[in-house]
């Protein structure tokens, strides 16, 4: 690769570094070096790489066998990850200055359950929170004589480093009005008040768990009578078990978004969304609206099953919201899913719709960074596939239909191909003058039709059809077609 690039750089009278900075693929370098394609001005400055655009690690899973994954936002430049361990017998924390670094960071055991008695049972779903300069871990624990007599606990550390076991005090139970199955506590502050949200089985309610919210008088205790804000009633919430659990809060765009997980912890596990206005009374159940359908669920195409029990953090840019969740790489589980250890921790980008609501898309699975393409002449619109056709839609709701990966060109020769994220067996191709997305077919014909050169132009990239270097993808009144000129507003695509 590099020798050829040097040669091309020399031919193009450009430094190799300049070509790389401009994010030029080999194909494009060839074009720049005057092979066939008309001269295209390379913009000053550099184009962000796909990885920079995606902005979150693509390593998937990020951490194996850590269910109910909770990643803090950076505190003093450090991310901390905790989660349920398959043995359900201890609390662990790892830390890193980067999200990707969590994958290999050393893990510290900050607490082990007692050999018998209270909290000697299952240890579940820990969360780490920084409150008024101190660390708190919220977790659920059963007892040794009944591992499912699950109740909520919190413990405090006075040390700066939460990984130091020496800092942690004795767990204290969070008491609610009902002595019943209670778990998955999360806490957040909003408008000067601190709240606790958790899942519990209320005696009179014939479901496994509903979601409750209460105000907190301290990090250890609630001070208002719990308000039940969600109960599993819809079909996607009652598969296997009638469950609303694993709450996580994200306050954005004038709203309080609360995701939760539903149904049994197998492939039927999925996420729902509750929304309240940021200036509503959050303790009033009427303030909360539940999504009619799940917002994140199993996807056989990407091979991700039972995604859920999420948390939220932000990427290193401090802006990009990141969804942290667990999922398995297979559907069928032998025995009780709670004892299948392979719920792995994963991260991906949260994309915001222009109406201010979050889009989670699909669990993206393995693969490189993900981009969306916006023609310069259609701001707010995105290239998306629909029924094997490829078109340009304004603010599509189906996020994943507008998500692609640039992968090494099926035709080889340094080109690139555009692979669908939610149908990874499909690629954008130009066939018979039309732009489609079709399942891959063996042989050079499909490969040639599905290969492009990414040409940097002012404001973004143009996509040159590898088979016919005079052709470029272009937007035409909502359709994606083929045109002859790069760098036009209709044939320039911004990547986000
Ligand atoms: O992972 C253990 C438990 O499984 C979690 O606390 C809960 O969210 C899920 O049901």
């Amino acid at each position: 690769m590099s020798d050829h690039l040097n040669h091309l750089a020399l031919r193009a009278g450009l430094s190799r570094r300049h070509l790389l900075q401009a994010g030029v693929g080999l194909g494009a370098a060839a074009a720049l070096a005057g092979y066939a394609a008309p001269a295209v001005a390379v913009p000053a400055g550099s184009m962000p790489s796909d990885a920079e655009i995606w902005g979150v690690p693509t390593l998937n899973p990020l951490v194996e066998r850590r269910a109910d994954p909770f990643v803090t936002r950076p505190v003093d430049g450090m991310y901390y990850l905790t989660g349920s361990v398959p043995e359900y017998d201890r609390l662990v924390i790892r830390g890193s200055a980067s999200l990707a670094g969590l994958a290999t960071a050393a893990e510290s055991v900050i607490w082990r359950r007692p050999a018998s008695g209270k909290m000697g049972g299952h240890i579940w779903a820990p969360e780490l929170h920084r409150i008024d300069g101190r660390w708190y871990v919220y977790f659920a624990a059963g007892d040794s004589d009944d591992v499912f007599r699950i109740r909520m606990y919190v413990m405090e550390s006075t040390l700066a480093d939460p990984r130091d076991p020496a800092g942690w005090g004795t767990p204290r139970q969070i008491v609610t009005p009902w002595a019943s199955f209670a778990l998955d506590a999360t806490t957040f502050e909003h408008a000067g008040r601190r709240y606790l949200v958790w899942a519990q089985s209320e005696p009179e309610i014939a479901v496994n768990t509903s979601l409750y919210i209460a105000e907190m008088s301290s990090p250890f205790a609630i001070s208002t009578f719990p308000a039940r804000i969600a109960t599993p009633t819809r079909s996607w919430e009652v598969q296997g078990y009638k469950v609303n659990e694993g709450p996580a809060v994200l306050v954005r765009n004038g709203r309080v978004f609360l995701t939760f997980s539903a149904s049994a912890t197998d492939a039927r596990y999925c996420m729902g969304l509750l929304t309240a206005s940021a200036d509503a009374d959050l303790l009033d159940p009427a303030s909360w609206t539940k999504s009619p359908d799940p917002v994140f669920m199993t996807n056989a195409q990407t091979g991700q099953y039972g995604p859920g029990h999420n948390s939220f953090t932000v990427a290193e840019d401090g802006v990009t919201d990141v969804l942290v969740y667990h999922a398995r790489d297979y559907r069928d589980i032998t025995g009780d899913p709670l004892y299948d250890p392979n719920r792995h921790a994963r991260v991906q980008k949260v994309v915001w719709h222009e109406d201010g609501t979050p889009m989670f898309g699909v669990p993206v699975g393995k693969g490189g960074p993900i981009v969306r393409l916006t023609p310069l002449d259609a701001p707010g619109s995105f290239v998306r596939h629909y029924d094997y056709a490829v078109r340009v839609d304004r603010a599509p709701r189906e996020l994943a239909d507008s998500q692609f990966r640039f992968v090494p060109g099926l035709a080889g020769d340094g080109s690139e191909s555009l692979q669908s994220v939610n149908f990874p067996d499909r690629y954008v191709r130009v066939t018979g003058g039309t732009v489609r997305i079709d399942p891959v077919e063996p042989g050079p014909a499909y490969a040639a039709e599905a290969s492009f050169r990414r040409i940097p132009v002012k404001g973004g990239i143009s996509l040159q059809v590898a088979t016919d270097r005079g052709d470029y993808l272009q937007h035409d009144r909502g359709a994606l077609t083929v045109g002859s000129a790069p760098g036009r507003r209709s044939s320039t695509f911004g990547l986000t």
Side-chain angles (χ1 to χ4, degrees), residues 68 84 124-125 183-184 245 265 269 309 338 343:
D68 319 318
S84 301
W124 282 353
L183 70 173
D184 297 358
E245 62 179 17
T265 55
Y269 204 58
H309 201 125
L338 273 175
R343 289 178 289 176

Side-chain angles (χ1 to χ4, degrees), residues 276-350:
S277 164
D279 49 25
D281 173 4
L282 301 183
L283 298 179
D284 177 356
S287 299
W288 296 92
T289 307
K290 183 186 280 187
S291 58
D293 301 307
V295 294
F296 200 58
M297 63 194 138
T298 284
N299 188 287
Q301 279 76 28
T302 61
Q304 300 293 294
Y305 299 91
H309 201 125
N310 76 290
S311 58
F312 293 108
T313 185
V314 286
E316 284 82 347
D317 64 7
V319 177
T320 302
D321 291 305
V322 176
L323 178 74
V324 182
Y325 62 100
H326 71 222
R328 292 187 179 90
D329 295 313
Y330 49 84
R331 173 187 300 281
D332 304 324
I333 296 167
T334 314
D336 184 335
L338 273 175
Y339 298 123
D340 172 290
N342 294 314
R343 289 178 289 176
H344 304 322
R346 305 171 198 263
V347 295
Q348 65 186 60
K349 192 169 162 177
V350 176

